[in-house]
Amino acid sequence: MSDEYYLELSENPVQFENASSVNNVFFDEANKQVFAVRSGGATGVVVKGPDDKSSVAFRMDDKGEVKCIKFSLGNKILAVQRTTKSVDFMNFIPDYPHLEFSHECKTKNANILGFCWTNWNEIVFVTDQGIEFYQVLPDKRTLKLLKSQSINVNWYMYCPETAVLLLSTTVQGNVLQPFAFKSATVSKMSKFEIELPAVPKPAKLSLSERDIAVATIYDQLYVMYLKHHSRSTNSPGAEVVLYHLPREGTCRKTHVLKLNTTGKFALNVVDNLVVVHHQSSQTSLIYDIKLRELDGALNVHQPVLPAQSINPYKIHLTGPAAAPSQAPVPCELYSSSWSVFQPDIIISASEGYLWYLQVKLQPTLNLLQDKGKLMDFLLRRRDCKMVILSVCSLMLTGGDKGNLSVVATVFDKLNQVYKEYLDAEQAYTAAMESGPSRSSTSYKRPVRTQAVIDQSDMYTHVLSDFTEKKGVKHKFIIAVLMEYIRSLNQFQIPVQHYLYELVIKTLVQHNLFYMLHQFLQYHVLSDSKPLACLLLSLESTYPPAHQLSLDMLKRLSTANDEIVEVLLSKQQVLGALRFIRSVGAHDNVSARKFLDAARQTNDTMLFYTIFRFFEQRNMRLRGNPGFTENIREHCEEHVAYFKQVFGENALMKQATA
C-alpha cells in the first residue's frame, strides 16, 4: 500500500505534550524545536528538538503570558517575549549565572512584533516601526545595539537558512523589504512588490503573511506567494508565484505554479520540490521548477505528478487512557490543527507530533511515463541512484524494451551529469596542483551526488545482468551496449575496458565473430592491454583472435613486453626476435627468455640461430661473445647444451687485437 504514495511523514516524529495539556505550543524554525509551555505558579517549559541534544526541560518565573520563546543557536541563550515592549533573556551557557535579564526596545511608542536569533549571541527585534539589531553580552547580562532601521512594519518573516528577514510594509502590505544578516552586520536588500489579484473597486486586497513563505530551492532564495482565485478575472484556480530574491540585484517574478483548483493551501519545500497541500481534497501536488515549460519570460509549471494524498499514518496512543494492547489509530491527515513550516515540517499541536515531510521516488516511476522527463526529475533528487538504476533495468527488460531512442536519451542524460562531475573534479585537481593562488582558493572539491552514475554503476547494476537475461534478442543487447559506449564517447568520457569486454563476450557467446572482427577492424572498440589479453584467450574459439590481439598490442606501442610474451608462448621465437629488433629493444632483452623458448621447440637449428644472435649481440656490446653469469642472463645450461649438440668449436671466438 505505502508503495503507491510519493509523499510520507517521517517514521520517527518528534513527540511533545499536545495542546490540550499545555497553555501554548511554539515552534522555532531556526533550531527546529517545539516549546510546550505550561503556566501556573512557575512556568514549566519542555523543549523537544530533532535529537536528544536539542531537547531540554526547565522552569522559569511566571511573569505573564508567553508570546514568543526561542533559543539562540546551540541552546546557549533563551529569549522570551511576554509584552510588546521588552524581551527577557536567560543564560544556558555552562558556568554562567542562570538569571533572567530584560531589554526594552529603544524606539519610543513601538510595539515588538517578535524577534529572530541570527547567531548564538545576535538577535533582531522586529517592531511595528522597524528593526533593532543587537549583540547579546551574556557575561554582562546586557545587549549592545549594532544597528537600527526605521520602517513601518505590518508583519515579518525570517528564513534561518539564509539569515534573511522579510518585512511587510505599506497599507496593502504587498511591498516587502528584505534584510540580510551576517556576523554582526546587516545589509538592506532591494525591496520589491508582490502583485495582488485585481478586485472590483472600491474593494482593496492586502497581503497576508499566511499567503507568503520563504525557502531555498536549488540553492536560490525564493519568496512564494499563494495567489488565490479571483472571481473577477475568471482564472481557473489559485497559483503559487515565485519571486527570486538574490543577495544583490532586484527581486523578480520567475515562476508560476498552476494549482488548477481553489480553497485552503499550505506550502512545503522537500528535496527542492515545492509541495502544495490542498485541505478540502486532502491531496498534495508537487512542482519542480527546473522542469521547464516556458511561457514568455515566466516559467509556468503544471504539477509534475497527479495530485495524491500523503501516505496514511497511524499514531500510537499514549497516556493514562491508552490500553497497552491498543492498536495504533489513523492520524487525521490535512487536519485544520496542522501547522506547516519551512522547509519540510508539519506540526499537529492537537496530537503533539512534529513530522518531516519526505518524498519517495520509487512510486513516481509508474506516474511519469516519459522516460526523459522522469530522468530529469530523478537526477535532481537527493537519494536517486538506486531508483535511476532500477529505471534503466526496467527500461531494457520491461515494456519499453526495443525502443533504442528512449535508451539513447536516458544514457545521454546520465552521462551529461557524469561528465560535468568529471570536469569539475579535473578542474579542482588542476587548481590544487598549480599551488596556492587567488583562483585556486575559490575552488571547492566537487561533491559526488547520487546523480553521478558512472560506468561501474551501470556495469554492476544494469548491463552485466541485462546481457544474461533470457528472452532478450542478442541484437538488442549489443545495440544497447554500443549505445552506451556511443554516449560515453559523445561526452568524451574514456570508456572502461570492462565495457568492451562485455561487448566481446556477448558477441562470442552468440557466435557473432564477423561483427567482432568489424568492431576491432574499424576501432569501434578502443585498444587496451586487458582487451588484447581477452582476445588472446579467445583463440581456441576463434583462431583469428590471436592476430587481432597482436595487432592491438602493436598499436598500443607501450605493450612490447606483452607482445614478446604472446609470441614466445606460441613458440614464434624468430617472430618475437624480429619484433623486438623492429622496436629497437634487442639490446636490453633477456637472452635466457629466448633460449628457453627455443629449447622448448625441440628445433636444434632454431636454437642455434637464436644462440648465435645473442653471441653476436654480446660481442657488439661487450667485445666478448660469452654470457655473463648474472641473475638476468644465467645461461650456463644453454651454453652446455650448445656445446653438447654443436661441439665446443662452434662457439664464437673472442676477437683478437
Side-chain angles (χ1 to χ4, degrees):
M1 185 77 172
S2 66
D3 289 346
E4 301 168 16
Y5 298 93
Y6 54 75
L7 286 172
E8 66 179 4
L9 302 174
S10 51
E11 275 185 35
N12 300 309
V14 176
Q15 285 183 267
F16 56 92
E17 290 184 82
N18 61 34
S20 61
S21 61
V22 295
N23 298 78
N24 258 318
V25 174
F26 300 92
F27 179 63
D28 173 14
E29 291 183 65
N31 290 313
K32 308 284 188 284
Q33 290 172 318
V34 180
F35 289 75
V37 180
R38 184 189 281 110
S39 301
T43 303
V45 182
V46 177
V47 185
K48 289 293 183 79
D51 51 47
D52 292 337
K53 282 182 185 175
S54 54
S55 301
V56 64
F58 57 90
R59 301 181 82 77
M60 55 189 185
D61 294 339
D62 193 346
K63 297 179 181 177
E65 183 191 350
V66 174
K67 295 180 181 293
C68 183
I69 181 168
K70 295 175 190 174
F71 270 117
S72 72
L73 302 179
N75 288 10
K76 287 186 168 65
I77 306 167
L78 180 75
V80 185
Q81 184 192 350
R82 297 184 175 96
T83 73
T84 58
K85 299 297 177 185
S86 66
V87 176
D88 301 327
F89 296 88
M90 189 187 291
N91 284 329
F92 275 74
I93 303 168
D95 304 326
Y96 275 67
H98 200 63
L99 298 170
E100 283 195 31
F101 54 103
S102 188
H103 192 86
E104 287 191 11
C105 70
K106 80 172 192 71
T107 312
K108 283 184 179 179
N109 304 322
N111 293 314
I112 299 174
L113 302 177
F115 61 85
C116 310
W117 286 103
T118 62
N119 206 331
W120 78 268
N121 65 340
E122 289 164 19
I123 193 167
V124 57
F125 290 6
V126 183
T127 74
D128 55 2
Q129 294 182 34
I131 59 170
E132 299 173 13
F133 185 38
Y134 293 100
Q135 184 178 40
V136 182
L137 307 170
D139 51 340
K140 296 177 181 174
R141 294 197 296 143
T142 185
L143 274 69
K144 174 189 170 187
L145 182 67
L146 297 172
K147 191 166 184 179
S148 62
Q149 179 87 36
S150 293
I151 183 171
N152 288 330
V153 181
N154 303 306
W155 48 263
Y156 72 95
M157 194 161 285
Y158 182 63
C159 176
E161 193 180 351
T162 54
V164 169
L165 177 68
L166 213 57
L167 304 180
S168 159
T169 67
T170 68
V171 176
Q172 286 184 279
N174 65 324
V175 174
L176 300 181
Q177 175 62 65
F179 290 90
F181 296 84
K182 188 176 182 182
S183 57
T185 61
V186 56
S187 52
K188 194 175 183 180
M189 298 164 70
S190 299
K191 67 180 177 183
F192 61 99
E193 186 175 336
I194 299 284
E195 290 177 33
L196 299 175
V199 290
K201 290 179 179 179
K204 274 192 174 181
L205 279 179
S206 62
L207 182 66
S208 164
E209 62 187 298
R210 288 194 304 272
D211 296 331
I212 292 288
V214 186
T216 302
I217 309 168
Y218 292 115
D219 299 321
Q220 299 297 316
L221 185 61
Y222 288 91
V223 175
M224 300 186 286
Y225 166 47
L226 184 53
K227 188 176 182 181
H228 290 282
H229 167 66
S230 170
R231 289 187 181 88
S232 62
T233 57
N234 296 318
S235 60
E239 53 193 35
V240 177
V241 184
L242 267 62
Y243 291 81
H244 177 226
L245 184 55
R247 284 273 169 178
E248 294 174 4
T250 54
C251 179
R252 290 184 308 109
K253 183 165 82 168
T254 52
H255 299 272
V256 175
L257 316 181
K258 294 288 188 182
L259 306 186
N260 308 314
T261 186
T262 60
K264 278 188 176 179
F265 301 94
L267 303 173
N268 276 131
V269 173
V270 186
D271 203 1
N272 292 312
L273 296 167
V274 180
V275 182
V276 183
H277 307 291
H278 185 228
Q279 192 178 20
S280 57
S281 67
Q282 299 201 342
T283 58
S284 300
L285 297 161
I286 65 171
Y287 298 82
D288 185 346
I289 63 171
K290 286 230 173 154
L291 287 178
R292 303 195 167 200
E293 295 165 50
L294 287 172
D295 180 14
L298 275 182
N299 288 313
V300 178
H301 303 267
Q302 294 293 337
V304 177
L305 302 168
Q308 197 183 76
S309 168
I310 294 168
N311 189 17
Y313 190 91
K314 292 192 174 179
I315 289 174
H316 293 270
L317 291 176
T318 55
S325 59
Q326 195 165 345
V329 296
C331 165
E332 185 192 345
L333 299 177
Y334 303 91
S335 159
S336 57
S337 73
W338 273 19
S339 300
V340 172
F341 295 92
Q342 298 312 317
D344 56 356
I345 285 166
I346 294 172
I347 291 178
S348 172
S350 62
E351 290 162 326
Y353 278 84
L354 179 153
W355 295 282
Y356 292 93
L357 186 65
Q358 297 169 338
V359 173
K360 290 183 357 179
L361 298 180
Q362 199 66 41
T364 66
L365 306 194
N366 301 321
L367 298 170
L368 263 176
Q369 297 306 317
D370 181 332
K371 288 289 184 289
K373 195 173 179 181
L374 173 63
M375 207 49 67
D376 287 337
F377 175 76
L378 292 175
L379 282 166
R380 297 191 186 103
R381 305 289 74 83
R382 201 167 31 233
D383 301 318
C384 62
K385 178 166 281 189
M386 295 317 294
V387 180
I388 287 173
L389 291 169
S390 73
V391 169
C392 293
S393 293
L394 288 168
M395 172 181 72
L396 299 179
T397 56
D400 282 326
K401 190 171 65 180
N403 193 340
L404 263 182
S405 64
V406 173
V407 172
T409 300
V410 169
F411 285 166
D412 286 348
K413 287 182 183 296
L414 295 181
N415 287 328
Q416 183 173 353
V417 176
Y418 180 25
K419 174 64 172 172
E420 285 167 5
Y421 170 74
L422 290 175
D423 286 349
E425 185 73 42
Q426 193 174 5
Y428 172 80
T429 305
M432 292 304 103
E433 286 174 353
S434 66
S437 66
R438 194 172 292 176
S439 61
S440 68
T441 53
S442 63
Y443 274 97
K444 285 185 180 173
R445 187 177 197 106
V447 177
R448 186 184 179 121
T449 66
Q450 288 210 12
V452 179
I453 310 288
D454 64 17
Q455 296 173 67
S456 170
D457 296 322
M458 283 297 290
Y459 176 83
T460 306
H461 298 283
V462 180
L463 298 175
S464 56
D465 289 342
F466 169 60
T467 58
E468 302 296 326
K469 282 278 181 200
K470 300 281 186 267
V472 183
K473 289 181 179 176
H474 64 262
K475 283 185 180 176
F476 181 61
I477 292 174
I478 291 156
V480 166
L481 294 175
M482 296 315 297
E483 195 57 54
Y484 185 60
I485 289 169
R486 184 239 9 117
S487 179
L488 290 168
N489 286 326
Q490 181 178 311
F491 287 98
Q492 298 179 317
I493 300 170
V495 182
Q496 295 297 318
H497 65 82
Y498 47 75
L499 290 173
Y500 290 137
E501 287 174 19
L502 196 59
V503 173
I504 290 173
K505 284 175 181 172
T506 307
L507 291 169
V508 170
Q509 194 178 338
H510 296 284
N511 295 318
L512 299 170
F513 297 113
Y514 69 93
M515 196 179 283
L516 170 61
H517 211 111
Q518 283 186 319
F519 281 176
L520 292 165
Q521 193 174 352
Y522 295 107
H523 308 297
V524 176
L525 306 178
S526 297
D527 297 343
S528 73
K529 288 181 186 179
L531 209 58
C533 293
L534 177 64
L535 286 171
L536 274 179
S537 68
L538 297 174
E539 189 186 2
S540 57
T541 317
Y542 182 56
H546 171 71
Q547 190 56 46
L548 289 169
S549 167
L550 270 184
D551 293 343
M552 183 178 288
L553 287 168
K554 283 176 184 172
R555 287 194 299 272
L556 284 168
S557 75
T558 56
N560 295 342
D561 291 345
E562 285 85 350
I563 294 172
V564 168
E565 294 296 338
V566 168
L567 292 169
L568 292 179
S569 68
K570 298 290 174 191
Q571 297 193 337
Q572 296 178 22
V573 188
L574 279 175
L577 203 54
R578 283 192 203 99
F579 170 75
I580 218 69
R581 288 188 71 178
S582 72
V583 296
H586 51 292
D587 285 350
N588 300 314
V589 294
S590 162
R592 177 174 176 158
K593 183 188 288 188
F594 280 80
L595 292 170
D596 284 346
R599 279 276 296 275
Q600 285 166 10
T601 63
N602 294 320
D603 182 339
T604 53
M605 287 317 295
L606 174 65
F607 181 79
Y608 181 90
T609 305
I610 299 299
F611 192 90
R612 183 65 80 212
F613 170 83
F614 282 106
E615 276 190 319
Q616 289 169 346
R617 183 192 75 169
N618 295 344
M619 191 70 154
R620 180 167 47 82
L621 294 178
R622 296 196 300 270
N624 187 336
F627 294 91
T628 58
E629 294 186 10
N630 61 29
I631 296 172
R632 192 157 167 265
E633 299 264 293
H634 230 358
C635 295
E636 297 87 341
E637 60 177 294
H638 294 303
V639 172
Y641 176 74
F642 186 90
K643 288 178 185 176
Q644 179 190 330
V645 176
F646 303 106
E648 193 162 343
N649 290 333
L651 287 171
M652 229 178 124
K653 301 291 185 291
Q654 185 170 351
T656 54

